[in-house]
Amino acid sequence: MSFVTLAKKELKTMFTSTSAYLFLAVFLFLSFWLFLSQVFLAGETDLRGFFAYLPLLFLVFLPSVSMGVWAEEKSSGTIESLSTLPVSPLSLVLGKFLATLFFLFLVLFLTTPLAILMSSLGDLDWGPVWGAYLGSFLLGMSYLAVGQFFSIVTKRQIVAFLLSVVFLFVLYLFSEPLVTAYLPETWVPVFHNMSASFHFGALARGVMDARDVIYFLSFTAFFLFLVKTALQWQYQKLDRFLAPVLLFGILFVANTWLSSRVYRVDLTQEKIYTLSDSTKTIVEALEDRLTVKVHFSDDLPTMVWPLRDAAMDLIKEVQAVAPKGVNIEFEDPGLNEQTEQEAINNGIKPIEVNLPEKDKIEVRKLFLGLSFYYKDKKEVIPAVLREDNLEYLFALKLFRLTQEKMPRVGFYYGGEKERYQILEELIRPMAQITAVDADSDLQSLQLDALFLVEPNELSKIFLEQIDQALATGLDVLTFSGLMNVSESLKAVAIDPGMQRWWQEKGVEITEELVLDPKNNLQAGFQMGMMQVFRAYPFWLRIRPQDLNRTHVVTQNLEDLFLPWVHSVSFLRDQDYEWQAKVLVRSSEQSFLQPDSAADLSPEVLNELQEMPQMQSFPLFVELNHANNKNMGRLFLLPGHYFLRDEYLNRMPSNAIFISNLSEYVTSGQALIGIRSRGKSSRPLMPLSDQARDQIKWFFLGAVPVMVLLMAVLINFGFNVRRRARIRQLQAA
């Protein structure tokens, strides 16, 4: 009798009982409800919310599947009869385990309608989904092995269940500060690498790392070996007491050795966890040896270990590509006051974090900086704070090391400069910022690009200076509307002084604002003592289909947020020397504000006598001179509010858009592909409240129906086969 035959027998027993179907119904209902209750609030096309809850659901439900596998045999006394079967203890263990493993596969398979739903509502990246399902299967497999072990060491199923839950919960917490705060520092890495949640998290991101796969396989193999050993003990055939200890030691050493090596597959659609071609090109252009100094504190808490590991993995990938090699040096700035001050003087900034230390919260100073040395130049990353932009910062510093001079960008503000602090913070890493005013001499400043932000009544002399600088290759970017918005939501006209200048180039800004009743964001409005959030048609949300997919600045953006923006109109009365390219448009459901409407309240749609004609309007254009390729480029976005601090951070893609644009006019396309190759967001398609409720109730209501139908079909099949078998016996 093979273990496959035993597995079939176990499955038949499992699916002829009501407990299996009760488990399926409760698990699916809970997982669907937890996910659907928050996915439409987040508005993103992904399954992160589902897989975030899955390990905790497994922690409770999977021990209930495996608790009776052996405990029931022991309580009924049938475990002794197993020794008389012509099958080895290993086949017995594998047979029962394979049955529970098939049940786990069925559970995960029945959750795939959620992935199909997300794919139909937006642009789902299937890479992290497949990685998360693989991680869920491996995690569940290890949990089932633990459950089988505790099932065979006790006769009572409830005891096996409780022991499994407690053990798995402690294992889940191994990398949490709640546990590591009470451990000696030398033990923390060991507990961290033994944590199931840590290894599952990497797979759920879409990175299939050999270290995580080997961890789960080793974990499962060890506990199955313990089950086999315990079964042999039942038969009184155990003759090697040290075998489990030796196996644990071998697996522990193998996992420890593998933890310092990188063998992984990036499953994400844009390969965001793999060294990009742009970074490889920059690294391969290095003509001399690169030195990277790692200024990390030795006693980093586990909460920042993912940042540390990501930085080290990236350095090793760069080391493998660099033609002249990379020297890696380690330095702990926190050794003493002298090393700390030296690091600060070299641009490495300490960060302060609140950490639990036994029974109190302490503020600890940490260092997470990197410095790069190439020839006689040095660049610094003061602190590694995010993993998603680490490769971009790394490549930017290397790119800067190979440049002869740093690009210079001028900023002219017609309004309050204090409202645009984040804008300058985005551009400062890639260019030197120079203040410009109406009296500045643009030629002497030697700018690579000029930002005109909310310009106010620019003089003819200053505009002539801009024309002269354009002839020398200066790129000019204008962000200006024709009105400001008062606190009472009234339009206040402003004059940038550039309308005639733009008309000479063949374009002009419409006086009316653009409205979009369908594609917009919600805004908060004060209603008495309460703040009410309502859809605001003047806050445009630009969808992927309205972004130019052939232009490097916008090709990988998924949306934009443009509040109170006008449209660009093209003049056709003559042939102009400037050719326009539209990068951003409004949707087909947008229209221009009626001439008589100065009220910018959300009630403006209700006040319209009839709905104006809807069409798409150009919102951001690039102009290139048709005859002189040495002329600088012109960029026009007829609105300035989206650059203000309170709006720029409202949507991540806005910051990426500005960074892409700034880099495009200063350094070309070398780094844009790195920053924007990952989707800034994957928004769900707009749905009405009624449609959302219908989706929720359909999935939640379909769960019991699906499980009931499965129970009927499976038991009907079993009954048909049993009756056929009886007829054969009677005929014989």
Side-chain angles (χ1 to χ4, degrees):
M1 182 184 296
S2 67
F3 68 90
V4 176
T5 304
L6 287 170
K8 291 180 179 179
K9 177 179 176 295
E10 290 291 327
L11 280 173
K12 182 178 180 180
T13 303
M14 185 182 299
F15 283 106
T16 52
S17 67
T18 58
S19 59
Y21 301 105
L22 180 63
F23 171 90
L24 280 174
V26 175
F27 178 85
L28 292 175
F29 182 86
L30 271 179
S31 58
F32 283 13
W33 178 74
L34 288 171
F35 176 68
L36 293 172
S37 63
Q38 51 82 32
V39 65
F40 294 114
L41 295 176
E44 291 292 322
T45 310
D46 60 49
L47 289 171
R48 285 178 295 182
F50 171 73
F51 290 109
Y53 292 113
L54 204 61
L56 294 176
L57 290 175
F58 274 2
L59 191 147
V60 175
F61 281 95
L62 291 185
S64 68
V65 174
S66 56
M67 65 182 182
V69 171
W70 296 104
E72 188 175 355
E73 299 273 11
K74 295 180 70 175
S75 63
S76 62
T78 56
I79 193 169
E80 298 296 335
S81 63
L82 294 178
S83 61
T84 63
L85 296 176
V87 62
S88 66
L90 179 61
S91 294
L92 283 173
V93 173
L94 292 179
K96 288 181 174 290
F97 180 69
L98 187 62
T100 57
L101 206 59
F102 178 82
F103 188 77
L104 170 65
F105 174 80
L106 179 63
V107 168
L108 291 175
F109 177 77
L110 292 177
T111 66
T112 55
L114 289 179
I116 298 172
L117 170 67
M118 288 293 100
S119 180
S120 65
L121 295 180
D123 182 17
L124 179 66
D125 186 351
W126 281 95
V129 175
W130 295 128
Y133 270 114
L134 172 63
S136 301
F137 185 76
L138 293 173
L139 179 71
M141 181 175 66
S142 63
Y143 281 11
L144 288 172
V146 170
Q148 287 215 23
F149 170 71
F150 285 109
S151 178
I152 201 170
V153 297
T154 181
K155 291 183 178 181
R156 297 188 177 184
Q157 296 187 36
I158 187 62
V159 175
F161 172 78
L162 292 176
L163 289 175
S164 300
V165 170
V166 171
F167 178 85
L168 293 173
F169 183 68
V170 172
L171 186 71
Y172 184 84
L173 295 176
F174 266 11
S175 62
E176 298 297 319
L178 180 67
V179 173
T180 57
Y182 293 88
L183 295 175
E185 291 184 4
T186 54
W187 290 20
V188 173
V190 177
F191 274 67
H192 186 74
N193 287 321
M194 290 176 64
S195 169
S197 60
F198 166 72
H199 292 281
F200 173 76
L203 289 165
R205 290 186 301 140
V207 179
M208 190 171 66
D209 196 313
R211 294 170 289 191
D212 304 314
V213 175
I214 295 298
Y215 165 82
F216 285 116
L217 293 178
S218 302
F219 190 97
T220 303
F222 176 70
F223 274 92
L224 288 181
F225 184 81
L226 290 182
V227 175
K228 172 181 171 291
T229 303
L231 185 61
Q232 288 177 314
W233 183 273
Q234 298 290 332
Y235 296 164
Q236 297 182 349
K237 298 178 182 178
L238 184 65
D239 56 358
R240 295 181 181 178
F241 294 97
L242 295 179
V245 178
L246 291 175
L247 178 62
F248 177 82
I250 293 171
L251 295 176
F252 180 81
V253 171
N255 278 268
T256 303
W257 176 82
L258 193 63
S259 65
S260 60
R261 284 153 178 82
V262 182
Y263 307 102
R264 64 184 185 182
V265 177
D266 188 350
L267 301 175
T268 59
Q269 187 176 355
E270 289 83 20
K271 305 300 178 185
I272 59 178
Y273 300 110
T274 303
L275 203 65
S276 68
D277 292 337
S278 299
T279 302
K280 290 179 181 178
T281 301
I282 294 171
V283 174
E284 291 170 352
L286 296 175
E287 300 174 349
D288 203 348
R289 197 170 184 84
L290 174 70
T291 297
V292 180
K293 284 190 177 182
V294 182
H295 306 272
F296 285 4
S297 301
D298 284 341
D299 57 342
L300 290 174
T302 55
M303 61 186 293
V304 297
W305 280 16
L307 292 175
R308 179 202 63 184
D309 296 342
M312 293 309 303
D313 289 348
L314 180 59
I315 293 173
K316 291 175 183 177
E317 290 189 65
V318 170
Q319 189 178 36
V321 176
K324 300 296 183 180
V326 177
N327 289 328
I328 305 175
E329 300 178 5
F330 297 89
E331 179 182 284
D332 180 10
L335 288 177
N336 50 59
E337 292 184 2
Q338 181 180 351
T339 56
E340 180 177 328
Q341 191 57 48
E342 288 177 358
I344 294 174
N345 293 339
N346 286 325
I348 306 299
K349 296 181 179 179
I351 58 175
E352 293 185 348
V353 295
N354 295 323
L355 296 174
E357 290 290 342
K358 297 186 177 179
D359 298 324
K360 58 183 179 179
I361 300 294
E362 289 188 354
V363 178
R364 187 187 299 180
K365 187 183 296 184
L366 304 176
F367 288 89
L368 279 166
L370 298 170
S371 58
F372 307 86
Y373 297 85
Y374 177 74
K375 295 183 177 179
D376 58 344
K377 296 181 180 180
K378 182 185 80 169
E379 288 290 338
V380 174
I381 298 178
V384 177
L385 301 178
R386 291 163 44 199
E387 186 178 349
D388 58 352
N389 72 339
L390 180 57
E391 184 186 349
Y392 169 74
L393 291 176
F394 206 102
L396 174 63
K397 300 305 179 182
L398 298 185
F399 184 71
R400 291 262 295 270
L401 288 173
T402 60
Q403 284 185 304
E404 295 183 2
K405 69 180 186 69
M406 191 171 182
R408 178 174 293 182
V409 174
F411 273 87
Y412 174 94
Y413 294 102
E416 303 175 57
K417 178 182 177 181
E418 293 74 18
R419 289 179 172 268
Y420 301 96
Q421 298 301 307
I422 296 177
L423 173 63
E424 293 195 7
E425 290 176 7
L426 290 173
I427 298 174
R428 190 171 286 110
M430 64 188 75
Q432 180 180 345
I433 294 177
T434 302
V436 175
D437 57 35
D439 299 323
S440 298
D441 181 5
L442 297 182
Q443 293 290 344
S444 63
L445 292 178
Q446 297 182 340
L447 301 175
D448 295 285
L450 173 63
F451 279 65
L452 301 175
V453 181
E454 197 181 345
N456 184 22
E457 297 183 352
L458 294 181
S459 66
K460 183 179 180 180
I461 296 176
F462 187 75
L463 292 174
E464 289 175 352
Q465 276 202 78
I466 294 178
D467 282 327
Q468 294 170 4
L470 274 171
T472 63
L474 175 71
D475 290 331
V476 179
L477 304 92
T478 304
F479 303 92
S480 174
L482 300 181
M483 62 178 67
N484 279 327
V485 181
S486 68
E487 293 184 359
S488 59
L489 295 180
K490 299 295 183 182
V492 180
I494 59 173
D495 179 17
M498 299 186 69
Q499 278 288 57
R500 183 176 296 276
W501 187 81
W502 279 112
Q503 289 170 359
E504 293 172 357
K505 276 61 177 179
V507 296
E508 65 179 359
I509 302 174
T510 61
E511 294 183 2
E512 303 85 4
L513 294 172
V514 180
L515 290 83
D516 195 324
K518 298 293 185 182
N519 300 279
N520 55 60
L521 293 185
Q522 290 192 339
F525 300 94
Q526 201 66 34
M527 304 289 289
M529 300 294 292
M530 299 177 59
Q531 189 177 39
V532 179
F533 287 87
R534 299 179 56 184
Y536 190 40
F538 290 100
W539 284 13
L540 307 189
R541 182 171 189 175
I542 311 302
R543 301 288 178 177
Q545 61 269 23
D546 298 313
L547 296 164
N548 190 328
R549 287 328 209 185
T550 64
H551 199 286
V552 66
V553 172
T554 53
Q555 64 183 2
N556 285 327
L557 295 178
E558 288 302 302
D559 53 7
L560 275 178
F561 167 45
L562 298 179
W564 297 300
V565 65
H566 304 264
S567 72
V568 179
S569 176
F570 301 110
L571 303 181
R572 308 294 184 187
D573 57 334
Q574 65 181 66
D575 292 332
Y576 291 93
E577 295 180 330
W578 293 86
Q579 296 178 341
K581 181 187 300 182
V582 179
L583 275 66
V584 180
R585 310 185 68 94
S586 64
S587 75
E588 296 287 351
Q589 290 81 37
S590 60
F591 61 90
L592 291 180
Q593 176 190 25
D595 295 339
S596 59
D599 183 11
L600 305 182
S601 73
E603 305 293 340
V604 65
L605 296 179
N606 299 329
E607 297 172 358
L608 295 176
Q609 298 297 324
E610 60 180 16
M611 190 64 70
Q613 181 179 357
M614 295 186 178
Q615 66 181 79
S616 177
F617 296 94
L619 302 179
F620 179 55
V621 297
E622 174 187 348
L623 283 81
N624 293 272
H625 200 276
N627 303 318
N628 188 352
K629 301 302 181 183
N630 295 322
M631 290 280 284
R633 294 163 293 189
L634 296 173
F635 298 85
L636 174 60
L637 195 154
H640 51 270
Y641 274 92
F642 88 104
L643 291 179
R644 291 185 175 181
D645 293 348
E646 60 264 38
Y647 303 107
L648 189 55
N649 263 353
R650 188 178 177 95
M651 191 171 288
S653 53
N654 277 26
I656 295 177
F657 169 64
I658 289 298
S659 298
N660 285 353
L661 184 59
S662 304
E663 202 160 83
Y664 180 63
V665 298
T666 56
S667 306
Q669 304 179 22
L671 300 173
I672 295 178
I674 304 172
R675 186 197 307 106
S676 57
R677 62 181 176 147
K679 301 286 188 181
S680 56
S681 67
R682 295 175 180 269
L684 292 171
M685 68 168 59
L687 293 173
S688 64
D689 292 340
Q690 182 181 3
R692 294 178 181 180
D693 290 338
Q694 288 174 349
I695 291 173
K696 290 179 183 179
W697 290 115
F698 172 78
F699 273 82
L700 295 178
V703 169
V705 174
M706 180 171 57
V707 173
L708 178 62
L709 180 62
M710 183 187 304
V712 170
L713 291 176
I714 291 177
N715 283 278
F716 177 76
F718 284 150
N719 290 331
V720 169
R721 293 182 62 182
R722 186 173 63 253
R723 286 194 294 268
R725 181 64 175 167
I726 292 174
R727 285 195 296 269
Q728 289 178 354
L729 292 174
Q730 290 174 344

